[in-house]
Amino acid sequence: MAGDATNLSDLDQDKYDADEQVKIICLGDSAVGKSNRPQQLSTYALTLYKYTTTINDKTVLVDFWDTAGQERFQSMHPSYYHKAHACIMVFDVQRKVTYKNLTNWYKELRECRPEIPCIVVANKIDADLKVTQRNFNFAKKQGLPLYFVSAADGTNVVKLFKDAIKLAISYKQDSSDFMDEVMRELENFELETKEDLSDKEDENSKEEKSKSS
Ligand SMILES: Nc1nc2c(ncn2[C@@H]2O[C@H](COP(=O)(O)OP(=O)(O)OP(=O)(O)O)[C@@H](O)[C@H]2O)c(=O)[nH]1
Ligand SMILES: [Mg+2]
């Protein structure tokens, strides 16, 4: 994948409010193959994989968030979920416990992000292709798409990331449509109540603005 970089400016999450920026998070137990790296000591708790793509003639910047280490505590810091537009939830078909733990990951995800699209990934299918015939009911039960993937030989990897990006963007557009609606309602509301506002309140709001800028 594209080069990764994690520095402080990457962690300013306000950028994800911009139309052309999406954030996709990866979840799952340790060593399921989220980063597809040979075993290594975790130097950084967080890695951002940056990816640029064009959708409907618009350039979209995608940040894939990936962790090392923190998932051993079976829980992520809330800032990891903050403003995420989609989630890729990975388990290892060779290790049943990683499949069982999806329940916990999914619960935590939904506490923080109740609505974002989520894809379930059964990884390492290269180790035993027969697993693709097995039923993994978790995904079906939750109404989530399930992808059989091998990060090692590349099976379904491109499709997975393309679809995750599409889902993230469509989620973002829907929610911004909804935001537009809310904003319009607020504008109308303001017109109706303007006369009631005293000068004092106007001063206060100016002060608030200069504080926050
Ligand atoms: N056979 C096989 N091995 C894989 C595959 N994907 C990853 N691995 C191996 O699984 C091990 C763990 O992979 P990682 O990518 O480090 O897993 P991770 O989920 O990022 O683990 P943490 O960073 O510790 O959370 C490594 O030895 C990888 O080489 C796969 O598709 N097939
Ligand atoms: Mg990793």
Side-chain angles (χ1 to χ4, degrees):
M1 215 184 285
D4 52 308
T6 306
N7 55 45
L8 281 178
S9 67
D10 285 328
L11 301 178
D12 169 15
Q13 301 209 49
D14 286 346
K15 66 182 176 185
Y16 298 123
D17 294 333
D19 278 351
E20 67 287 355
Q21 283 259 7
V22 300
K23 170 180 174 180
I24 300 177
I25 54 174
C26 302
L27 281 184
D29 283 4
S30 187
V32 292
K34 296 185 296 297
S35 347
N36 189 31
R37 296 253 174 101
Q39 214 67 52
Q40 55 173 22
L41 278 178
S42 322
T43 321
Y44 299 105
L46 176 68
T47 310
L48 263 64
Y49 297 90
K50 293 171 164 299
Y51 182 80
T52 308
T53 184
T54 308
I55 295 192
N56 299 335
D57 293 329
K58 263 176 71 179
T59 303
V60 180
L61 305 170
V62 187
D63 282 350
F64 287 98
W65 285 51
D66 179 33
T67 60
Q70 213 198 339
E71 71 273 36
R72 289 186 193 103
F73 304 106
Q74 307 264 308
S75 176
M76 305 297 297
H77 192 272
S79 62
Y80 190 72
Y81 296 100
H82 187 57
K83 295 193 187 203
H85 303 110
C87 173
I88 296 173
M89 213 166 59
V90 189
F91 72 99
D92 174 348
V93 291
Q94 301 290 97
R95 284 187 299 139
K96 204 170 175 177
V97 64
T98 67
Y99 173 71
K100 283 194 163 172
N101 282 335
L102 291 181
T103 310
N104 304 329
W105 288 117
Y106 194 60
K107 184 168 172 278
E108 187 169 275
L109 170 71
R110 286 310 180 216
E111 278 163 12
C112 297
R113 304 294 283 148
E115 311 265 3
I116 63 170
C118 176
I119 294 177
V120 180
V121 171
N123 190 34
K124 308 197 188 180
I125 60 163
D126 56 286
D128 174 15
L129 283 173
K130 285 201 295 282
V131 295
T132 56
Q133 257 104 69
R134 275 223 321 257
N135 265 333
F136 292 100
N137 280 322
F138 172 82
K140 208 180 286 168
K141 230 169 74 187
Q142 303 292 346
L144 304 173
L146 172 69
Y147 286 54
F148 287 101
V149 167
S150 165
D153 70 19
T155 307
N156 267 340
V157 172
V158 172
K159 180 167 172 47
L160 165 69
F161 284 106
K162 271 193 178 160
D163 289 358
I165 292 169
K166 272 192 215 153
L167 284 171
I169 290 168
S170 74
Y171 168 79
K172 192 163 187 175
Q173 282 166 350
D174 283 352
S175 62
S176 71
D177 284 349
F178 179 62
M179 273 299 280
D180 288 348
E181 199 179 306
V182 172
M183 296 307 280
R184 265 198 308 275
E185 272 173 23
L186 283 176
E187 271 164 28
N188 291 336
F189 180 75
E190 225 171 1
L191 283 176
E192 282 159 22
T193 57
K194 217 170 216 161
E195 290 137 279
D196 300 328
L197 286 173
S198 68
D199 292 337
K200 184 96 178 74
E201 274 166 330
D202 279 336
E203 279 310 307
N204 280 346
S205 67
K206 262 182 216 155
E207 234 176 73
E208 280 306 313
K209 262 193 190 141
S210 64
K211 259 188 227 158
S212 62
S213 62

